[in-house]
Amino acid sequence: MEKRQSGPGTSLVAERPRRRLRMLRRVLMASVTGTAAVGGALMLLPKEPSVTGPPAPAPGPRAPAAVTSGVPAALPELTRLIGDRENHLRTHPRDARAWAVLGTAYLQRGRQTADAANYPQAEHALQTSLEVAGGANVEALEGLAALANTRRDFAAAREWGEQANKLAPKRWTTYAVLIDSYTGLGDYKASRSTLDKLMALRTGAAARPAVMARASAVYRDRGWREDAAAQLSDAAAAARSPAERADYLTRAGQLAWERGDRQDALRHFDAALRADPGQRAATAGRGRVLAALGRTSEALTAYRSALSGQPCPEYALELGELYESLGRQEEAQAQYDLVRTRAERDQAGGVDEELLLGRFEEDHGNREDAVVLLEDEWERQPGIEVADALGWALHRVGDDEEALHYARVATDKDKGGGVRSALYSFHLGMIEGELDQTGPARRHLQEALRINPYFSPLRVPVAREALARLGEPPDDEPPPEG
């Protein structure tokens, strides 16, 4: 059994008080009221640029509707919409709906560019909308819920979303953000019942693709992969804009990748990029698939392209692990350094990155820090992603008995862990192997490779080596499930 030890890297636990101070500062900013809120928000709008050429085109008619309904909009449309609303609000500072649209547009731009600096701007605009309207403002409440989900503050998202739902119980977009918040908090029963309510609403044709995509996410979490894929296929076919279609195709590609279907995943990612060449999640997805196909040079190019347009720390971590699997340690370390840098940047924008940093530290940095980060995350937001990561972190410091508890939570259907994840099964099997539970370890490692034989360039070889050490099963051992 491994002993508790720390790996290389700067401790991140000392960063937690600063994150909490930032959260407190957000709460204080949210308490500003009335004229002061409007005046302060106006000061935050960028100065109107001097006109040196023809004016920028106005946003298309679909952009505001897409933004306020949570449907993806193309980045150029978002940029024009933000500029249009900023100009409008300089002369109409008490237009609550314009503030809400602006805040939600900032949020979408932050998601698409992975620039968390947009999130404080989104929060100021949405809080101003709420103050101007006197609190009874469903669009602002819903926008604040969506912002909190993006920042991984699921408790706040649930609170904002439930307030919005009380004001407008037939507004479908509120159910969508509530599903995300309940899932993040590990309340899968509430997530499923909320989806049932959403599906029972009579939504218009424009909303149906987004509703189907939301259903797909819940079905995926329940392990209903075929149903999830069917919903996304229908959503992509019914999408009303290239950006929306690209988003659903990307999700379909991710589902195909999770089940180890490389060609189907690549087909979906390529289709997404034909619809919207700026869809960086599809570009990163191509990197994953191309690496699994042995097209390493193309995979590295795809990852670099994704990072150039959407510098997510997750992409840097994946690229670092690909470099490491190739024996290119210096290039891997450069990407690992970027994980910390970009996570700190996101934290400055109010994003809770403890899950990501815990996953990073448990395999590439300070293992003790990983346990502290993930125990704190589990206490606040006990979802299955956190259970899996915490179980693996405990294993990495040698606490395998406790690790097994969390690894089982992550894969226990009764606790919400219905998702078929090669990584979760790999973690469970490795922990069981360390505890000399040979039969279960063999079954779960086989299951990991059966779900997706290419799930990780670093972990697949480890799984195969562990299976070889475990040897062939005895005649009386139960066959693998599924």
Side-chain angles (χ1 to χ4, degrees):
M1 181 180 291
E2 277 184 76
K3 302 299 181 186
R4 284 187 180 255
Q5 58 181 332
S6 296
T10 304
S11 172
L12 287 160
V13 174
E15 297 294 319
R16 292 167 64 212
R18 284 195 288 173
R19 181 178 67 81
R20 290 196 170 93
L21 284 173
R22 284 193 291 270
M23 293 176 70
L24 177 60
R25 192 157 55 244
R26 295 209 309 271
V27 172
L28 291 173
M29 285 190 292
S31 67
V32 178
T33 57
T35 304
V38 177
L42 284 171
M43 291 176 64
L44 290 169
L45 292 177
K47 292 182 179 179
E48 190 170 5
S50 57
V51 179
T52 57
R62 286 184 181 173
V67 164
T68 55
S69 62
V71 174
L75 190 57
E77 281 286 294
L78 280 176
T79 300
R80 288 195 292 270
L81 177 60
I82 288 170
D84 178 78
R85 290 302 180 269
E86 287 173 344
N87 289 334
H88 172 78
L89 285 164
R90 289 188 183 95
T91 54
H92 301 83
R94 302 198 66 81
D95 185 339
R97 188 173 191 279
W99 281 114
V101 171
L102 176 61
T104 311
Y106 281 139
L107 170 58
Q108 270 213 29
R109 186 172 69 178
R111 288 171 174 167
Q112 291 196 28
T113 61
D115 183 359
N118 285 275
Y119 300 151
Q121 293 176 293
E123 183 173 15
H124 278 292
L126 291 165
Q127 287 285 1
T128 303
S129 176
L130 201 60
E131 298 296 344
V132 168
N137 183 339
V138 176
E139 287 185 347
L141 290 167
E142 188 180 287
L144 286 164
L147 174 61
N149 277 329
T150 301
R151 283 170 154 171
R152 287 190 52 81
D153 186 354
F154 298 116
R158 177 182 60 189
E159 184 176 345
W160 291 121
E162 288 178 350
Q163 287 184 47
N165 187 244
K166 287 178 182 177
L167 289 174
K170 294 186 178 181
R171 182 179 169 90
W172 75 266
T173 46
T174 304
Y175 290 95
V177 295
L178 279 172
I179 288 169
D180 288 345
S181 66
Y182 293 139
T183 300
L185 291 168
D187 190 348
Y188 299 99
K189 182 177 180 181
S191 175
R192 293 165 188 171
S193 66
T194 304
L195 176 63
D196 291 341
K197 293 174 185 176
L198 171 58
M199 299 292 277
L201 293 175
R202 292 187 177 182
T203 54
R208 286 192 194 111
V211 173
M212 288 187 283
R214 189 65 56 188
S216 172
V218 177
Y219 294 161
R220 177 258 181 195
D221 289 344
R222 299 189 72 170
W224 299 357
R225 294 190 302 189
E226 292 78 10
D227 296 292
Q231 289 286 332
L232 281 176
S233 177
D234 290 345
R240 297 168 69 89
S241 73
E244 185 182 6
R245 175 175 168 77
D247 181 73
Y248 304 147
L249 287 168
T250 299
R251 298 189 205 189
Q254 290 164 346
L255 278 179
W257 167 252
E258 287 181 356
R259 66 176 184 266
D261 191 335
R262 296 172 296 177
Q263 295 298 338
D264 192 41
L266 188 60
R267 178 175 64 83
H268 280 100
F269 291 138
D270 286 343
L273 289 167
R274 286 194 297 272
D276 179 6
Q279 175 55 263
R280 301 297 179 173
T283 306
R286 289 190 85 251
R288 251 172 256 131
V289 176
L290 292 168
L293 288 167
R295 294 159 60 178
T296 306
S297 178
E298 294 174 81
L300 294 172
T301 299
Y303 270 120
R304 293 185 197 115
S305 176
L307 281 162
S308 69
Q310 193 180 32
C312 295
E314 294 92 337
Y315 300 164
L317 179 55
E318 288 184 31
L319 179 55
E321 291 187 342
L322 178 56
Y323 277 130
E324 186 175 342
S325 73
L326 299 170
R328 296 164 63 168
Q329 297 298 333
E330 288 187 8
E331 290 161 296
Q333 189 57 52
Q335 293 302 318
Y336 294 153
D337 291 341
L338 284 175
V339 172
R340 287 195 179 97
T341 300
R342 287 170 177 161
E344 289 174 2
R345 174 208 62 191
D346 290 350
Q347 286 174 323
V351 179
D352 174 1
E353 290 287 21
E354 290 195 359
L355 174 58
L356 169 73
L357 289 170
R359 283 176 166 168
F360 169 72
E361 293 295 328
E362 65 193 9
D363 282 326
H364 306 291
N366 190 307
R367 298 173 185 175
E368 294 282 358
D369 275 6
V371 172
V372 174
L373 289 165
L374 292 166
E375 284 179 337
D376 182 64
E377 188 74 358
W378 174 258
E379 183 179 346
R380 295 182 305 105
Q381 307 188 137
I384 57 173
E385 283 185 299
V386 183
D388 169 71
L390 177 54
W392 188 243
L394 289 163
H395 164 73
R396 295 287 283 165
V397 298
D399 193 349
D400 287 299
E401 291 287 352
E402 190 174 3
L404 183 61
H405 165 73
Y406 290 103
R408 284 176 171 167
V409 168
T411 54
D412 186 343
K413 292 182 180 180
D414 292 335
K415 294 182 172 63
V419 61
R420 289 179 57 78
S421 166
L423 182 64
Y424 296 178
S425 294
F426 165 74
H427 285 161
L428 178 57
M430 293 296 291
I431 294 166
E432 289 168 333
E434 194 67 25
L435 292 169
D436 295 325
Q437 298 182 15
T438 304
R442 185 185 293 109
R443 288 195 299 273
H444 287 118
L445 290 171
Q446 289 172 337
E447 181 181 50
L449 295 172
R450 191 165 54 251
I451 292 170
N452 183 355
Y454 322 99
F455 70 92
S456 164
L458 287 180
R459 294 165 187 84
V460 165
V462 174
R464 295 191 185 282
E465 290 169 9
L467 274 172
R469 288 195 302 271
L470 290 169
E472 292 297 321
D475 293 338
D476 59 348
E477 183 170 304
E481 296 179 5

